Amino acid sequence: MKVDGNSLRPGNVVEHKSGLWKVVKTQHVKPGKGGAFLQVELKNIRDNSKLNDRFRSSETVEKVRLEQKKCQFLYADGSDYHFMDNNDYTQIAIAHDVIGDDASLYLKEGIEVEVEMYEQEIIGVTLPEHITLQVVEAESVVKGQTQSGSFKPAICDNGLRVMVPQYIESDTYIVVNSTDNSFVERAKN
């Protein structure tokens, strides 16, 4: 589907320069001279190379439609991660390179994800935005610091280091934003 170059948003996948690219960042630029354009940071889906390009409103780009399947993470065995398709219960093995280091941190048995495919080729996994983790190590509160204004480092059960409010202690369950690894709230029971 052809779309205007200035209508791209982060997360879109486009066919550009004979490759599949995911839009990472966009910025509208209006120079003093000439027409406005969209400065776009793109990441190649197959080889993870990056590209910065400019798109004017008069240009069109081929936006790619991805097939998305809801899947459940089962287990990891060295270099592959195994998922079960929630519709037909078939198992899918996905290489670590496709998933990436950041996403693999959040994969726990039973978590539901969306597997993205383009022409039967798996190109990525989308995690839920909020994921519950257990804090296994947190620094103790320093006397004199305000409870609401300061944060301290904590290490979660998956090895992720997160800045949390002072009231969070070890063995507390917290909700973390999977896109930027930030603390959201204390998990509700």
Side-chain angles (χ1 to χ4, degrees):
M1 161 175 52
K2 295 248 185 220
V3 295
D4 290 336
N6 65 352
S7 67
L8 294 176
R9 301 287 174 257
N12 291 154
V13 176
V14 296
E15 209 170 311
H16 182 62
K17 295 188 178 178
S18 66
L20 282 180
W21 300 84
K22 189 170 201 166
V23 177
V24 179
K25 265 197 270 188
T26 61
Q27 180 182 4
H28 288 278
V29 178
K30 180 151 178 32
K33 218 175 193 182
F37 59 87
L38 185 69
Q39 182 72 37
V40 180
E41 183 179 318
L42 301 164
K43 183 176 177 185
N44 191 304
I45 288 177
R46 294 191 173 98
D47 65 9
N48 286 334
S49 61
K50 290 198 174 182
L51 170 73
N52 282 313
D53 216 339
R54 294 177 176 182
F55 295 101
R56 300 201 181 277
S57 60
S58 59
E59 296 179 68
T60 58
V61 180
E62 186 67 34
K63 187 174 170 186
V64 176
R65 287 243 182 243
L66 299 178
E67 179 186 345
Q68 295 182 326
K69 288 184 174 187
K70 288 222 180 269
C71 294
Q72 182 179 18
F73 176 65
L74 299 174
Y75 64 94
D77 67 354
S79 63
D80 288 341
Y81 292 85
H82 297 268
F83 297 86
M84 178 183 65
D85 187 328
N86 289 353
N87 292 330
D88 60 10
Y89 305 110
T90 57
Q91 283 195 22
I92 303 168
I94 303 176
H96 178 77
D97 297 345
V98 174
I99 292 176
D101 291 332
D102 293 340
S104 65
L105 269 177
Y106 291 106
L107 292 177
K108 290 203 253 181
E109 188 177 315
I111 192 170
E112 299 238 340
V113 299
E114 283 190 350
V115 174
E116 297 174 328
M117 301 174 78
Y118 177 69
E119 295 178 353
Q120 303 304 316
E121 176 189 1
I122 297 171
I123 60 169
V125 172
T126 303
L127 297 166
E129 186 178 359
H130 296 130
I131 297 178
T132 302
L133 300 173
Q134 182 180 12
V135 174
V136 293
E137 186 180 321
E139 291 183 8
S140 58
V141 177
V142 177
K143 191 173 181 178
Q145 286 186 326
T146 59
Q147 289 288 327
S148 61
S150 58
F151 284 78
K152 64 182 181 180
I155 298 174
C156 297
D157 56 351
N158 64 350
L160 183 69
R161 187 179 172 94
V162 180
M163 295 302 286
V164 298
Q166 294 291 327
Y167 61 86
I168 301 295
E169 299 172 355
S170 293
D171 296 328
T172 304
Y173 285 89
I174 61 171
V175 177
V176 176
N177 186 328
S178 64
T179 55
D180 62 2
N181 302 335
S182 64
F183 172 82
V184 175
E185 64 183 357
R186 182 186 300 187
K188 295 166 180 66
N189 293 340

